């Protein structure tokens, strides 16, 4: 399992490789068309047919003499149709379109109660030295829908994974002879009803010429901002078609489309601290992105905030009360709680398993409840209209229907985020088995929603902050308004801790309530202590959309949370690379 999970908003990687020990959560809007009927000429049905033909053959005939055949096979294929255009200083730096297709195969040998999936008690740190020489079938699949080539890709992968599954099963049986396995009575895989559905096809048309002109003009606007020495504006349109076929009867074709504009700017304070700031805009359609006037206004806002941060005072390490505005609160719940409720983490003895065995026990203040609902597509967005939620999907990557799950009910833990890997007290999937690329699915967050029974208007929440500051005899408190992401460690290898990386932080004077911008800190804490210091929440909510990276890759997620008042939060100094400004001015300035 992973060592750490993180929230960020930079580039999304498509890869079969696992993320590094510090995992990344990147909060982007996605939408899947729920229509089930596919047109007669749908080319996707050719791909689906090829997958069905090969999985039928493997189910019926794949078996080594004297050995068990597979009891379960899953084929997953992803088509990627991606466009990216980026500009800096009024010039185009990237203009690309990529079509790619990847395939992955899962083979299980044994039975639902005991199969080849490894006990976490086994020492897998260094793996098998023979692994360095073994044949690895490619994950790339043909783009031209050639049935023989499609089937051959799956055939080679199925053969290799079946042989490895048999080997792993024998090793697992041998290990059970000498080693004690915690929760040995828990099964290996859950039985789930088969699902069938074909989303309506999605056609993506990007007017790249129009976007090139628009991005030239928007990026050129930064040239007039003297506090910014580097900047970028980037459009991405990412369309993914996913096929899932299993031997238990699941047949799915799903569509996901994400439009995004990322805008970043960099300045440097007089003391040499780098000031990096950005804004991101996401949509399930191009129409949900800002128009050119909106993007130009974002340039002005970003440059103004860079200027203010350059002039802001450095904040020393701090311990005391703070308000986290909705975006920061969303990251806080995601990192401090969400990752620790992922099902696989309860089974791994290298994990801290903070909340293992806590079903039915209080873990949060009684006025808080947490729900994760992948089936929720949008939420009301006030004057701006409904907001698409990134974590929306109809079926997870194991073919299980999405459903809302109450994780915490009035402070009491009720469930975990479950894939088809059972855990103690949670034997079935609840539709949260998720992955990206060719990684193996595990239980992951989708749309994490924080609800509070103790809700007050924001003005009252600030008054409560001032009361808490004075009660603790502090000179000031904090308001954390904007955040770039967060990180958390969940393993026993290191401390059970998390941190958030705020961009906009205000000191709040204890006497006057005056807010003053500061910089140079990040908040840190331990999950149990920090979560139970929440005092109240606002009566309005905000959405934080993006992607979260963990062992199973980058998956789209959302948090919906109110602002929260925390009686005690700790801030530490950020890493500080003190460098001088560029020696010469920009070429376009005298």
């Amino acid at each position: 399992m992973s060592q750490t999970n993180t929230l960020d908003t930079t580039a999304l990687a498509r890869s079969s490789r696992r993320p590094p020990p510090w995992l990344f959560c990147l909060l982007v809007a996605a939408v899947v068309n729920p229509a089930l009927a596919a047109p007669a000429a749908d080319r996707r049905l050719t791909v689906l047919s090829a997958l069905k033909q090969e999985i039928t053959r493997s189910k019926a005939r794949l078996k080594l003499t004297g050995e068990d055949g597979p009891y379960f096979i899953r084929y997953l294929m992803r088509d990627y149709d991606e466009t990216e255009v980026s500009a800096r200083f009024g010039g185009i730096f990237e203009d690309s379109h990529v079509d790619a297709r990847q395939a992955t195969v899962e083979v299980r040998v044994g039975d639902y109660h005991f199969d080849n999936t490894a006990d976490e008690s086994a020492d897998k740190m260094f793996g098998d030295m023979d692994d360095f020489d073994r044949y690895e079938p490619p994950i790339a699949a043909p783009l031209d829908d050639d049935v023989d080539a499609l089937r051959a890709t799956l055939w080679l992968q199925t053969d290799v994974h079946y042989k490895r599954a048999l080997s792993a099963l024998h090793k697992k049986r041998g290990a059970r002879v000498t080693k004690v396995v915690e929760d040995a009575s828990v099964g290996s895989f859950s039985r789930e009803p088969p699902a069938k559905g074909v989303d309506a096809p999605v056609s993506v048309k990007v007017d790249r010429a129009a976007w090139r002109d628009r991005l030239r003009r928007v990026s050129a606007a930064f040239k007039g901002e003297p506090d910014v020495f580097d900047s970028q504006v980037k459009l991405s349109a990412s369309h993914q078609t996913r096929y899932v076929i299993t031997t238990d009867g699941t047949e799915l074709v799903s569509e996901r489309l994400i439009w995004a504009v990322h805008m970043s700017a960099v300045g440097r304070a007089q003391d040499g601290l780098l000031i990096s700031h950005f804004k991101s805009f996401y949509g399930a359609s191009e129409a949900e992105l800002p128009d050119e006037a909106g993007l130009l206004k974002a340039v002005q806002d970003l440059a103004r905030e860079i200027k203010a941060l350059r002039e802001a005072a450095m904040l020393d390490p701090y311990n005391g009360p703070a308000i986290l505005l909705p975006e920061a609160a969303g990251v806080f719940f995601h990192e401090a709680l969400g990752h620790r409720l992922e099902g696989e983490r309860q089974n791994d003895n290298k994990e801290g398993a903070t909340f293992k065995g806590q079903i039915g026990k209080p873990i949060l203040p009684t006025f808080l409840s947490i729900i994760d609902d992948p089936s929720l597509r949008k939420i009301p967005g006030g004057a701006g209209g409904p907001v698409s939620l990134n974590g929306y999907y109809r079926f997870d990557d194991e073919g299980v229907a999405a459903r809302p799950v109450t994780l915490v009910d009035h402070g009491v833990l009720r469930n975990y985020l479950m894939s088809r890997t059972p855990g103690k007290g949670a034997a079935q999937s609840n539709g949260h088995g998720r992955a990206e690329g060719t990684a193996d699915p595990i239980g992951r967050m989708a749309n994490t929603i924080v609800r509070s029974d103790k809700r007050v208007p924001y003005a009252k929440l600030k008054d409560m902050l001032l009361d808490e500051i004075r009660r603790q005899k502090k000179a000031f408190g904090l308001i954390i308004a904007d955040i770039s992401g967060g990180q958390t460690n969940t393993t026993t290898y290191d401390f059970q801790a998390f941190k958030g990386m705020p961009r906009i932080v205000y000191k709040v004077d204890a006497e006057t309530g005056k807010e003053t911008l500061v910089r140079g800190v990040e908040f840190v804490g331990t999950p149990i202590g920090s979560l139970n210091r929440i005092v109240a929440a606002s009566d309005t909510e905000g959405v934080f959309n993006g992607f979260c990276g963990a062992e199973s890759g980058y998956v789209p997620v959302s948090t919906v949370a109110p602002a929260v008042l925390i009686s005690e939060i700790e801030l530490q100094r950020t890493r500080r690379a003190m460098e001088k400004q560029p020696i010469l001015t920009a070429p376009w300035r005298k």
Side-chain angles (χ1 to χ4, degrees):
M1 298 299 293
S2 72
Q3 291 191 12
T4 315
N5 310 66
T6 312
L7 239 50
D8 197 0
T9 47
T10 51
L12 171 63
R14 183 182 71 249
S15 174
S16 62
R17 297 175 296 175
R18 292 188 174 187
W22 285 90
L23 304 176
F24 303 93
C25 296
L26 175 72
L27 286 185
V28 182
V31 64
V32 178
N33 193 316
L36 294 177
D42 191 345
R43 65 186 289 263
R44 300 172 306 165
L45 298 186
T46 301
V47 178
L48 194 64
S49 175
L51 269 63
K52 289 170 64 176
Q53 290 176 53
E54 191 57 31
I55 205 168
T56 299
R57 182 172 78 124
S58 295
K59 181 180 180 180
R61 299 172 55 187
L62 184 63
K63 187 176 185 298
L64 278 172
T65 303
E67 300 286 357
D68 295 332
Y71 80 90
F72 177 83
I73 303 173
R74 176 179 62 100
Y75 288 168
L76 185 144
M77 188 171 289
R78 300 183 196 271
D79 288 354
Y80 301 94
D81 170 15
E82 299 182 346
T83 298
E84 293 187 347
V85 182
S86 68
R88 296 168 65 202
F89 316 123
I92 298 300
F93 275 62
E94 179 185 13
D95 183 4
S96 65
H97 177 261
V98 175
D99 286 324
R101 177 176 281 171
Q102 293 180 340
T104 185
V105 173
E106 177 184 18
V107 177
R108 288 177 176 260
V109 181
D111 56 43
Y112 285 91
H113 180 71
F114 187 89
D115 69 16
N116 55 282
T117 51
D119 288 334
E120 291 300 336
S121 59
D123 184 6
K124 301 182 294 180
M125 181 68 72
F126 301 105
D128 189 333
M129 295 301 292
D130 291 339
D131 290 352
F132 292 105
D133 297 322
R134 70 185 184 185
Y135 169 68
E136 288 287 347
I139 61 172
L143 295 173
D144 57 4
D145 303 339
D146 182 283
V147 171
D148 285 345
L150 284 165
R151 292 185 62 180
T153 301
L154 299 166
W155 159 60
L156 290 174
Q157 286 203 38
T158 307
D159 182 80
V160 167
H161 286 293
Y162 170 60
K163 293 169 183 173
R164 292 177 187 170
L166 278 175
S167 177
L169 181 63
H170 289 310
K171 289 179 181 179
K172 183 175 178 179
R173 286 171 174 161
R176 290 287 179 102
V177 173
T178 59
K179 293 186 178 181
V180 174
V181 177
E182 187 178 8
D183 301 332
S185 62
V186 174
S188 294
F189 199 54
S190 68
R191 295 181 185 269
E192 304 293 342
K196 295 191 177 184
V198 178
D199 287 354
V202 172
S203 177
V204 185
K205 296 181 179 179
V206 182
D207 189 338
R208 288 159 67 184
W211 272 103
R212 283 195 298 269
D213 289 342
R214 187 175 305 143
L215 296 185
R216 285 189 184 101
R217 291 189 292 269
V218 172
S219 66
F222 278 112
K223 294 166 68 175
E225 302 293 345
D227 296 290
V228 175
F229 69 79
D230 198 2
S231 60
Q232 183 185 55
V233 186
K234 181 176 183 177
L235 166 80
S236 68
S238 178
H239 171 219
Q240 182 183 125
T241 302
R242 183 196 65 183
Y243 306 83
V244 181
I245 298 284
T246 69
T247 49
D248 59 11
T250 290
E251 298 177 10
L252 297 170
V253 180
S254 303
E255 300 277 351
R256 191 176 83 199
L257 175 60
I258 300 167
W259 289 81
V261 172
H262 302 283
M263 182 180 295
S264 63
V266 180
R268 195 175 292 281
Q270 292 300 318
D271 59 12
L273 185 70
L274 188 71
I275 307 295
S276 181
H277 198 8
F278 63 86
K279 295 184 183 295
S280 295
F281 307 93
Y282 307 103
S285 66
E286 186 177 13
E288 294 182 47
L289 299 179
D291 59 13
E292 186 168 332
L295 292 175
L296 289 170
K297 181 180 182 303
V299 168
Q300 295 174 348
D301 293 343
L302 198 56
R304 184 177 64 252
E305 290 171 354
I306 288 281
K307 176 180 173 60
L309 286 167
R310 289 187 66 211
E311 298 169 354
M314 298 283 283
L315 183 65
D316 292 326
Y318 167 86
N319 181 269
I323 288 175
L324 306 184
L325 294 189
E327 185 172 303
V331 174
F332 171 73
F333 282 103
H334 183 100
E335 298 297 350
L337 181 67
H339 281 297
R340 289 170 171 79
L341 297 183
E342 293 166 341
E344 275 79 358
R345 302 195 192 283
Q346 319 312 313
N347 299 337
D348 189 343
N349 62 15
K350 294 187 292 297
E351 285 283 332
T354 308
F355 300 111
K356 182 176 182 177
Q358 301 297 304
I359 296 290
K361 297 180 181 179
I363 65 169
L364 290 179
T366 57
F367 60 87
L368 289 174
S369 297
I370 311 291
I371 297 94
D372 199 277
D373 186 3
S375 66
L376 187 61
R377 188 170 184 172
K378 295 175 181 286
I379 65 166
V387 177
S388 297
L389 297 180
N390 296 10
Y392 165 76
Y393 55 87
R394 293 176 56 233
F395 298 95
D396 71 9
D397 290 305
E398 294 182 306
V400 180
R403 68 202 72 171
V405 177
T406 299
L407 300 170
V408 180
D409 182 17
H410 293 88
V412 177
L413 181 63
R414 296 299 184 193
N415 211 334
Y416 303 112
L417 298 158
M418 298 301 297
S419 67
R420 294 183 69 170
T421 300
K424 190 173 182 179
Q428 299 301 129
S429 171
N430 51 36
H432 283 77
R434 309 187 65 199
E436 182 59 27
T438 59
D440 296 330
I442 65 172
R444 301 284 297 277
M445 286 170 277
N447 293 324
T448 307
I449 301 165
V450 180
R451 292 177 179 165
S452 173
D453 292 337
K454 195 173 182 179
R455 299 162 59 90
V456 298
Y458 180 75
K460 174 63 175 174
L461 196 68
K462 185 176 177 182
D463 288 341
M464 294 174 69
L465 171 65
L466 291 170
D467 290 342
E468 188 65 27
I469 297 169
R470 294 159 187 162
R471 186 188 70 80
Q472 295 185 26
K473 295 182 171 55
K474 301 284 186 180
F476 61 90
L478 297 176
I479 295 175
I480 299 176
D482 194 6
I483 194 165
S484 61
Q487 298 178 345
T488 190
N489 176 70
T490 65
T491 71
T492 55
Y493 177 77
D494 208 342
F495 300 107
Q496 290 297 296
F498 68 90
K499 72 175 180 178
M501 295 167 282
R503 295 194 301 266
I504 304 295
V505 180
Y506 296 96
K507 286 175 58 175
V508 182
D509 184 82
E511 297 303 320
T512 66
K514 180 182 177 182
E515 299 175 13
T516 304
L517 186 68
V518 293
R519 59 182 168 90
V521 291
E522 55 194 20
F523 67 82
V524 295
T526 54
I528 295 176
S530 299
L531 289 164
N532 281 283
R533 294 189 183 103
I534 300 172
V535 175
S538 68
D539 58 1
T540 56
E541 298 173 333
V543 178
F544 191 8
N545 276 325
F547 280 79
C548 174
E551 296 86 339
S552 62
Y554 291 85
V555 297
V557 296
S558 302
T559 59
V560 182
V564 295
L565 170 61
I566 301 179
S567 62
E568 185 180 1
I569 196 168
E570 182 177 350
L571 275 75
Q572 66 183 18
R573 290 165 59 97
T574 58
R575 294 178 61 184
R576 301 179 178 182
M578 304 300 194
E579 298 181 5
K580 292 183 177 181
Q581 293 272 25
I583 298 171
L584 301 178
T585 60
W588 50 85
R589 294 196 183 108
K590 293 183 180 180

